[in-house]
Structures are given as structure tokens and as C-alpha cells.
């Protein structure tokens, strides 16, 4: 099963609502089960550098089916996955990327959010998951 | 002047209406005046390979402020711009990419469409321009 | 609003004056609001490796609208943005890159300087900002 | 021997004078004997896609110490150097790139110009050579 564009766009809407509530400007990317881009939105005046980071967070979350922040804990100096960021054309392993699951727990895609603190990025991604 | 997310999403909606009318599945990308991604949508079951092509068409159209197909006519073997596609990390120079202008004629971004014949890709891009 | 070539070249002149005063050889890059290169100068005998670093510093400063060194403080091991450098085709997050703002505080571009210590790189970038 | 920044900037000035005379907006790049960027200028409103092309033309001209257009004649389908553009991270082999020689005929760098027709690009590059 794959996330549909309709589902992805519901998530984009929710992500933007949450961003507006927090007073932040986000880039939001959603990839499918194959880690391919399905939908993307750059809020006006969001950081240019976050266009790529939002997409890399979404891909990273789907590549390993876990929150990006969980990978980041393992990729620190001395950690089991030190510098895993060098793989796959560049990973982003700090918070803001989350897998998207259907009701059976199957991963159908992932979302990546970038544009503020990692706490805000994560909060927006998490809120967007409630939209579907 | 830069295209807004609101304008970009109106164009995505129009592009999908036209695609549905034509019975095709498209990837649609919109970039701003700096050639940075603003909005993207992959219709369900659209070609995976067109995710990148749609984005490259949009960038190519903004890079040179002309329809991608116009560049493709000049980049043929023996043409003035043969193999220009090797620049800028890869250009796509067949139809489906168009600059987006405001009422004063200033280029504020570009759209790239990929997923069907180049005729259909171009028709969808052209229709989307009427949305703003 | 975008930085003009005239403004960018005034900044290049100022950056070189400051570099000469400090007795250092710099590479200086200036990008516009879209993070695209506008002007560049490599002082004679400046480090070859700094040609790319100066450009990446300028882009990084515009990508996040802050001094590159501020990002570097967050991208350390254990920091919130650890290994952010893997995004956007490579960031440089130590000092020497600064956003360029107009009188209204709008970011119109960024400057990146590389060729000496990060303190000198930063000092030259900062001095160049006074030229416009 | 290597081109100096002073020489490179004289060439930039000349290139822009010629561009203004022709009524065109150019990107102009100058590399040294090591094919490394020395100076660059993007005239206001010049094509964004030509930032990279101007640099690739300059590098291509120095890589083979001949005008880019001469390589383009050999890189056509069936030609001796068919698709040489795939090397060196991307070459540009249509006119607008020229080697820069000192009085002894030694190549000390190269210039690349992009932003108009290849005839204009070449004319501006050729005029710039007269400045040193």
C-alpha cells in the first residue's frame, strides 16, 4: 500500500495549520512507500535551505522506517551508525521526519518538515500524521 | 516578485483538472523566481521517473525564461546549444516546462509537467498558467 | 529585492581592502536572494580549496538567513542540527558567511569569505557588509 | 604563469562593456591556468542557467586549450569526441569559451560567457581578450 496524493495533501494542510499556529514557516515534503516524492509545499518565506532538508528527512524516515531523530542518536561520534549521513546521497538524521503508517501499521510513506527548531519541525510532522 | 504558495497550489489544482480531462497521470512541479521548489504533486500511479523530470523542466524554464521545448530545438545535434543538458546538474529540454509571469511580464517562477506525451505535458503546463 | 551586481562589486572591493589590511588572501563569493552566484573574486595566491568554500558559505548563509557560524554551533556532535552539512549538496557551517540585508531588513543575498582563519574570514565578510 | 585577479577584472569590465553595446545580459567567468575560478560577474537579470554554463565554458576552454566551439564540432554524433560533455562533471562545447594566452602564447587561463546567442557569447569573450 502506498500513500495517495489525497492523503498527502491532507497532511500538507494539517502541517501548515500547525505551522501557522506555532508562528513558523515550514517546508513540508511527503514521500511514498518507495521513498519517492509525492507532495511538497514551501510556505512563503520559509528557509531556502530547508527545501532539501525536508525532502531528505522524509526519505531518511522511510529508508529506515523510524523517526529521523532516532537515527541521529545512533549516528553520533562513537555511535553504532556514526556518519550514516554519507549514504543515499545525503541523509538528515535530526528530528522532523516520521514514517506514515496505515491502520495495520504498514509503512505507506513518510513526512519531513524543516524550517524552525527541531522541536517545532517534529511537532508539525507529528500533528500532520493525525490528518489521515 | 516571487510566486506565492497560494498561486502555486492554484496551478497544481488546474494542472490536475486538465490531466484528469486528458486521462493522464502527471507529476507537476513549480519553482520560484530563484528556481527553488515551491510546490509539487505526483498524481497516483504517475511515472516515478517523471518526479525528477517535472522538477528539471520547471528549473530549465526558469533558468532561461523560455519554454523548455524552445531550448530543445537548439540543443539537437548540429544545433547552437548541442548538449546544453549537461549544465546545471542536468536540464530537461523537451516540452512541458514554462515560465510563469505576473501581469507586468516579470518572470516569478516556472512550472514543469511530466508523465505523458510531451504534447500532453505541455498542454497541462499551459492550462495551469491560466489559473493565476 | 535582489542584490545588484553593482552592490556586489562594492562589497568585493571592500572585502579585498580589509583582506589586504589583514595581510591575507581571500576568496570572496556573493549570492543573490535565490542563492545564485552574482560575483566572485579569488585574490592572487588565495587557497584553491577556498574557492568552493567561499561559495558554500554564501549559499549556507542565504539558505538559513543567519551567519554560517551560528549554524555550526548547532551542527556539532550532540547538537540539534548534527551533520546538517550533508544537505543542499554540501554546506559550510563555520564562520565567514553572512546574510546581506537592505535597509528594511529584507535579505537580498549573502557573502561568503574563505582563505584564512575563521576569525579573519568573518571579519572580512562583516567589513564588506558596510560597503552598501 | 597564471592570470592575475587584476587581469581577470579588466576582462570582466571589457566583457560588460561589449555586452551593454550589444544590448545583452551576460554571465562571465574567468578561470586560471589550473581551471579554477578567479572572477565571476552576473549582470543584473542575466539568465540564471548561464551562471553554471559560463563557468563550464571557461573550464572547458582551459581543459583542452581551445575555443569551446572547436570541441563542439568534434562532439557531434559520429564525431571523434562524441559526447565528451559527459566528462569532468559536465562540459559545455558550444561557442563562448576561449583560452587566455600571455604574450608568449602560454595559456594562463580561460574565459566563458553565457547569456545570449552563441554568436554574442563568443563575441563578448573575444572582445574581453583584447583587454589584457
Amino acid at each position: 500500500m502506498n500513500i495517495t496524493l489525497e492523503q498527502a495533501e491532507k497532511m500538507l494542510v494539517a502541517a501548515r495549520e500547525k505551522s501557522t499556529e506555532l508562528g513558523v514557516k515550514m517546508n513540508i515534503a511527503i514521500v511514498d512507500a518507495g521513498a519517492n516524492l509525492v507532495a511538497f509545499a514551501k510556505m512563503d518565506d520559509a528557509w531556502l535551505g530547508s527545501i532539501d532538508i525536508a525532502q531528505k528527512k522524509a526519505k531518511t524516515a522511510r529508508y529506515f522506517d523510524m523517526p529521523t531523530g532516532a537515527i541521529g542518536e545512533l549516528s553520533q561520534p562513537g555511535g553504532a551508525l556514526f556518519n550514516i549521513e554519507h549514504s543515499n546521497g545525503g541523509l538528515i538524521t535530526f528530528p522532523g521526519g516520521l514514517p506514515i503508517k496505515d491502520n495495520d501499521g504498514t509503512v505507506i510513506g513518510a513526512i519531513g518538515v524543516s524550517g524552525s527548531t527541531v522541536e517545532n519541525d517534529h511537532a508539525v510532522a507529528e500533528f500532520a500524521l493525525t490528518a489521515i
Side-chain angles (χ1 to χ4, degrees), chain A:
Chain A
M1 262 286 290
N2 233 339
I3 192 167
T4 64
L5 178 54
E6 192 185 342
Q7 289 174 308
E9 296 203 326
K10 278 184 190 163
M11 293 185 68
L12 286 188
V13 169
R16 286 152 70 181
E17 282 174 8
K18 184 70 177 176
S19 301
T20 302
E21 182 193 315
L22 293 170
V24 294
K25 310 280 191 181
M26 295 294 196
N27 288 275
I28 309 136
I30 294 172
V31 299
D32 65 13
N36 299 298
L37 191 65
V38 172
F40 177 86
K42 175 185 181 292
M43 293 175 72
D44 297 340
D45 301 318
W47 285 330
L48 290 175
S50 287
I51 297 171
D52 184 57
I53 292 176
Q55 294 180 65
K56 282 191 165 50
K57 282 183 182 175
K59 290 186 181 186
T60 300
R62 172 52 185 148
Y63 283 153
F64 304 102
D65 291 343
M66 62 180 81
T68 47
I71 302 166
E73 288 175 19
L74 300 171
S75 69
Q76 298 295 319
L81 306 181
F82 177 54
N83 267 349
I84 191 174
E85 294 84 0
H86 286 267
S87 69
N88 294 288
L91 299 180
I92 289 294
T93 60
F94 44 82
L98 291 172
I100 305 167
K101 297 178 183 173
D102 66 12
N103 291 332
D104 299 333
T106 306
V107 177
I108 60 172
I111 182 171
V113 177
S114 178
S116 178
T117 63
V118 294
E119 290 78 13
N120 281 340
D121 292 353
H122 177 80
V124 168
E126 200 158 48
F127 182 81
L129 287 182
T130 65
I132 60 169

